[in-house]
Amino acid sequence: MHTFRPYLRATLLTGSAAAALAGFATPALAQDADATAVSNAADSGEIIVTARRREERLIDVPISISAISSEQLAKQGTQSLEQIGESVPNLTLEVSRGTNTTLTAFIRGVGQQDPVAGFEAGVGLYVDDVYLNRPQAAVLDVYEVERIEVLRGPQGTLYGRNTIGGAIKYVTARLPDETRLKVQGTLGNYDQADLIVTASTPISDTVRIGASGARLSRGGFGDNLNLDGVENYNKDVWAARGTVEVESGPLFIRLAGDYVKDNSDARQGHRFLPGTFTVSPVLDNVYDTRAGLNVVEQEVEAWGGSLNIAYELSDTITLKSITGYREDKSTSPIDFDSLPVADLDVPAIYENDQISEELQLLYEGDRLSGVLGAYYLDANAFTAFDVALFTTGALPAVGLPGLTAQTLGDVNTKTWSIFGDFTYDLTDQLSISLGGRYTNDKRSSRVLRTTFIGGYSDLFAEGAIPIAVTSDFEGSETFKEFTPRASISFKPNSDHNIYFTYSKGFKGGGFDPRGQSTNARDTDGDGIVSEAEIFDFMRFLPETVDSFELGWKASLLDRRLNISLAGFLSDYKNIQIPGSRGFDTDGDGVSDTFVGVTTNAAKASINGIEFEANALVGRDFAGDGSRLNFNMAVGYVDAKYDEYISGGVDISDLVSIQNTPEWTVNWGFDLGVPVASGMLDLLGSISLRSDSQQFEFSTPFLDQDGFALANASLVWTDDLDRYSIGVHVKNIFDKRYVVAGYDFEFNTVLGLENNITGFYGDPRRVFVTASFTM
């Protein structure tokens, strides 16, 4: 049996069923005027962000950025990271197919939904400035968070590789200066019962300690009708975290550690077609399943720690160090056919570990401010899975009984970079920013594919016999890239910012983790498939985006109306197209596994507009402190392939950018009135998404028509912010919508049972939240 290596889990407790990976340290603000501006902004309710690695008002940052505060998250009943996708323009966040905790993220048409080791994310996820290298366990639960920032467009200068679409920053809350105990609870339909307890205290004038524990549970939205006692779409998470903070004069240190265990049942898909040979009609409840794969349990375990140190060398210079270490491991029974028979069963193992170090030198002067930095990451990602196409049980005897194709992928990443980004105020109204980053990204991969007969491979069972090695590849490549950024900002006054920004991002190259090296071709016609030709066949190159953005941010009507408007043009090149197709390993004419087909086949133009607004339309109309706020977010994307080469032919007119609706719209309101020594808030929102595709090629059943989701909350909070109770309804009209899926019936045929399955977003959920702080 396989021995696990350390596995990275990105759900950190102070933010999710786990939270903060590294500490938060405030860079020194050199000039009194700048410090006062930021301080006054925070006091007045304006959100302060660190998108450019230093504290700034949201309006002053010359990029498209959405920032959601802890207060907004709590009042809206936001409980996990992917839910913010409803309110941010041109953002898609979903739980990946066949998992409970793996994140799929797309911003402005750029992202990645394949979680296998070897493929890199297109949207970077950061917890307290620590980059999470893999998407496994990245569906963070939301609590004890200060804010979440979504940076749209390539962030290659300040955030490096794999932020080609943008970055999501999860910023956790600092420990308070006084002793505090906070208890949060949730009860809801589907037997939801959550409890979060957080305690902290100073133990001296300079040292604070804190700890959190969480129990997050919910029954399934459906059941596994084939396995007794197994639910589908349930939640079963335990988490714990401890933090120590030291603050003495110019020195700040934060040491944090966390552990997470997710015992949720496997999430299996809904079949859209009846089986060919088995008696398996389509189920009425899209959350039910008949999946029979049980040779491995669904299990996610993660742990890690972080150390954040900041030291103010002078009034203008701060030195900062961010160190992170993570491990995670998971097993997952992915039943592609969602049937009791093993027509297309894929038990899988994911293991990840990473250690990272970032050094920053921050400067804040009269007219010049910015950061110099260096970054290093050493990471390993291991994936192993079987593709089992057994021909026993109700299936007719086709080929060899118990045939299994095992794939092992082991990817080592060593990457380092140096970067700098500075802003210079030419006048009080006009400023320019210049930055750049040089990255050296080394990828080393091992891909081993073996065919077994007689059952599952030796990773998951005993007795099967290996009969053929169909791929045995080992290779290494270093990719180098320079990603610049430049912007110019004009501020007629402190309430307006008109800017133009150019930025570049890149996503690392690598080697196809499902690649079949025996499929490599003799490209030079010498009659021999050489090692170099195999290497070129397995390798894919980095992809890049050059983006131009023109924007306007403003606070109008005595700051009662805040707006952000941006238009962007993006040139997307060398797009990596991960894919797979059925492959016949034994020559019987029937595909018995799938193999990788990953190429830099495409280039695209992605252009669009984004608009966000928040308006205070009334106040003190129903007593002191009463208010009525409206908010809106609109995203439009014109995303199209300019070239898409398949089989030497350009088929760009037949494909579309995946997971990218043309329109994303959110509208909401917050009506607050004073009630019983507190504030009662009524919140409502509706989010709309136009048609979108799961894959480049149109796929029946999985392509999602446009839809709308409506949510409502009623929350009372006492005047001292000690007590809070709320009632929340998500997906009021109980809309069914596809968020992910597998297609082995239309574009790729594998198995005998019409295997096309989909995964759905949450049904209507009603829950009550309560919190007490002392």
Side-chain angles (χ1 to χ4, degrees), residues 566-641:
F568 60 90
L569 303 174
S570 300
D571 186 12
Y572 193 9
K573 299 175 182 176
N574 276 335
I575 304 174
Q576 299 163 5
I577 307 295
S580 59
R581 61 178 177 82
F583 186 73
D584 176 16
T585 63
D586 60 358
D588 67 353
V590 178
S591 296
D592 47 43
T593 187
F594 56 85
V595 297
V597 183
T598 301
T599 59
N600 296 93
K603 60 182 180 180
S605 296
I606 303 178
N607 309 318
I609 297 174
E610 294 163 348
F611 175 75
E612 294 179 280
N614 187 294
L616 174 62
V617 299
R619 60 185 174 192
D620 298 332
F621 53 84
D624 290 343
S626 60
R627 52 183 161 61
L628 176 61
N629 286 83
F630 287 98
N631 59 79
M632 173 177 284
V634 179
Y636 168 77
V637 172
D638 177 18
K640 61 182 180 180
Y641 282 109

Side-chain angles (χ1 to χ4, degrees), residues 62 82 144 295 330 385 415 419 525 530 623 686:
E82 84 282 359
E144 297 304 317
V295 299
S330 64
F385 59 88
T415 184
F419 62 92
S530 66
I686 184 167

Side-chain angles (χ1 to χ4, degrees), residues 306-470:
S306 62
L307 176 65
N308 189 300
I309 303 173
Y311 187 79
E312 297 179 10
L313 298 173
S314 68
D315 290 340
T316 58
I317 299 176
T318 298
L319 181 63
K320 188 174 181 181
S321 169
I322 306 166
T323 307
Y325 177 73
R326 306 296 305 167
E327 296 189 17
D328 68 61
K329 59 183 179 181
S330 64
T331 53
S332 183
I334 308 173
D335 196 328
F336 283 15
D337 56 72
S338 284
L339 291 172
V341 296
D343 185 47
L344 185 52
D345 286 2
V346 181
I349 296 168
Y350 300 96
E351 301 179 358
N352 306 291
D353 63 79
Q354 70 173 81
I355 184 168
S356 62
E357 173 62 35
E358 182 165 352
L359 295 175
Q360 299 176 6
L361 186 68
L362 299 112
Y363 177 81
E364 289 280 350
D366 287 329
R367 292 191 174 276
L368 180 67
S369 61
V371 59
L372 289 173
Y375 178 76
Y376 177 75
L377 171 73
D378 187 348
N380 177 263
F382 175 83
T383 301
F385 59 88
D386 280 4
V387 179
L389 294 99
F390 297 168
T391 56
T392 56
L395 291 177
V398 177
L400 297 171
L403 197 65
T404 298
Q406 177 201 84
T407 299
L408 303 178
D410 194 0
V411 181
N412 286 298
T413 297
K414 294 184 186 294
T415 184
W416 61 266
S417 60
I418 53 175
F419 62 92
D421 187 88
F422 283 87
T423 299
Y424 183 74
D425 297 330
L426 297 172
T427 69
D428 291 339
Q429 296 178 321
L430 187 65
S431 63
I432 59 171
S433 297
L434 293 173
R437 188 183 195 109
Y438 174 80
T439 300
N440 182 291
D441 189 29
K442 183 179 181 181
R443 199 67 35 78
S444 302
S445 295
R446 174 78 189 280
V447 180
L448 178 65
R449 296 176 64 93
T450 308
T451 301
F452 287 76
I453 187 173
Y456 293 101
S457 75
D458 53 358
L459 286 172
F460 304 102
E462 297 179 354
I465 301 171
I467 58 174
V469 174
T470 56

Side-chain angles (χ1 to χ4, degrees), residues 293-310:
L293 178 57
N294 61 357
V295 299
V296 64
E297 293 184 353
Q298 176 76 29
E299 184 178 34
V300 178
E301 188 175 21
W303 59 94
S306 62
L307 176 65
N308 189 300
I309 303 173

